[in-house]
Each structure stands twice: as C-alpha cells, then as structure tokens.
Amino acid sequence: MPPMSGEPFRVTLPPGIPTGFGVDIGPAFLAVGQALLGGWPIGPADLVARALANLRGRTHAVRGRDLVGLDIDGVPARVLQTGLGCASALVLAPDELRRILGEQPQCLLAPMRDVLVSLPRDVDRAFAAWLNEELAGMDPNGLALDAFVLDGDGLRYERLPRVGPGVVVSA
C-alpha cells in the first residue's frame, strides 16, 4: 500500500466481520486508506453501500449450479469458486448466500478469497476447523476466518476450535 494512503479504512460489518476496502487496479488491489477516503466526495457509509452493491453486481450471474459437490472424509461439502475473486465476501451479503446456496441450514467456511465451503449445519466443528486451516494453508493470503452458520435466524459468526500442528482429524 502506498504510504500516502494512510491507515486502512476498516469497519465491522454484520455478523461481526472486520472489513477493509480496496480499489481493483488490475493485477492488484489498492487498499482504501483514511487519507484516500478523505479526498473522495463520499463518506464511510456511502463507501460501504457502494462496496456491497459492487459485490452483488459482481456475483449476479453466480448460481447454485456453480457449486461443486464433494465428499471430504465422509462429510458432504459444496464448494463455490466464482472466478471473480470474491466468493468469501458473500458472507457480507446473506441474501446472496441464500440465493446461491439455498435456504437449508449450513455451516460456512471462507478459507480463501475466492473459496466458500458449505457444510452441513451440524458438522463436527473440529473437522470444520481442520478443513478451514488446511484450505487456508494452500493460499499464501489465506483468510481462515472462523465459521458462519446460515439458517432461518440469519447469518452468525461462530468461533472454531484451534487445531494444533500435526493434528489429524477424522469425521
């Protein structure tokens, strides 16, 4: 990030996700800093609204048919890679999650920028933690956020247990 950008602008968005913002400049993203935002004719609320609208627009063509079904150690999983670099950001738009993933209760993992994993809601959380860390470890910029539960009550953040090195988890 260029030094003149200032401290990155961040807000915490529902369901409790610290969120930064960037400008797509081709092969990279330029982080939006306080100084950069201060020079724009919009405020923080407008930035958040525009970013969420951009996410919805970007993922408009993504559908349930884009999910890949897998069996991981006996646990059914559905994996979404949008090819747009923003699958994990869908946790900021629960309405889009429901449109793409369906209404059924599920546990979600966002281990990488463009990977979202849907597991059964009652999946063993130690297994979910292991899978999340394994996938995040494949990406030098892996996110390894904890989990999210999507059900009739909405989308909730859920802490996963920490998996130590060398721990093998079997479902």
Side-chain angles (χ1 to χ4, degrees):
M1 188 165 82
M4 68 287 287
S5 296
E7 275 300 305
F9 171 73
R10 292 189 181 101
V11 295
T12 299
L13 298 176
I17 304 168
T19 305
F21 300 83
V23 177
D24 186 349
I25 57 171
F29 283 96
L30 173 65
V32 174
Q34 297 283 358
L36 182 60
L37 180 58
W40 289 351
I42 63 169
D46 294 324
L47 174 64
V48 171
R50 170 45 65 200
L52 292 174
N54 287 347
L55 173 64
R56 285 183 172 86
R58 198 169 205 186
T59 59
H60 179 73
V62 177
R63 299 279 186 262
R65 67 176 180 259
D66 298 318
L67 293 164
V68 175
L70 301 172
D71 180 288
I72 304 171
D73 201 17
V75 176
R78 297 178 307 147
V79 179
L80 176 66
Q81 274 191 294
T82 65
L84 304 168
C86 59
S88 63
L90 285 167
V91 298
L92 299 172
D95 56 324
E96 289 295 297
L97 284 176
R98 289 185 195 289
R99 180 182 64 76
I100 297 165
L101 300 175
E103 296 288 332
Q104 69 274 20
Q106 50 203 296
C107 177
L108 303 174
L109 305 176
M112 297 179 194
R113 191 177 67 165
D114 198 33
V115 174
L116 190 65
V117 180
S118 170
L119 300 168
R121 186 197 188 297
D122 62 350
V123 69
D124 178 78
R125 294 312 196 252
F127 173 83
W130 168 80
L131 179 59
N132 199 35
E133 290 182 21
E134 285 291 311
L135 293 173
M138 294 177 186
D139 181 349
N141 299 307
L143 300 176
L145 302 171
D146 283 299
F148 301 89
V149 174
L150 180 65
D151 60 20
D153 294 330
L155 183 70
R156 294 181 313 283
Y157 177 82
E158 183 179 300
R159 287 240 4 117
L160 288 173
R162 295 294 162 239
V163 177
V167 174
V168 176
V169 178
S170 180

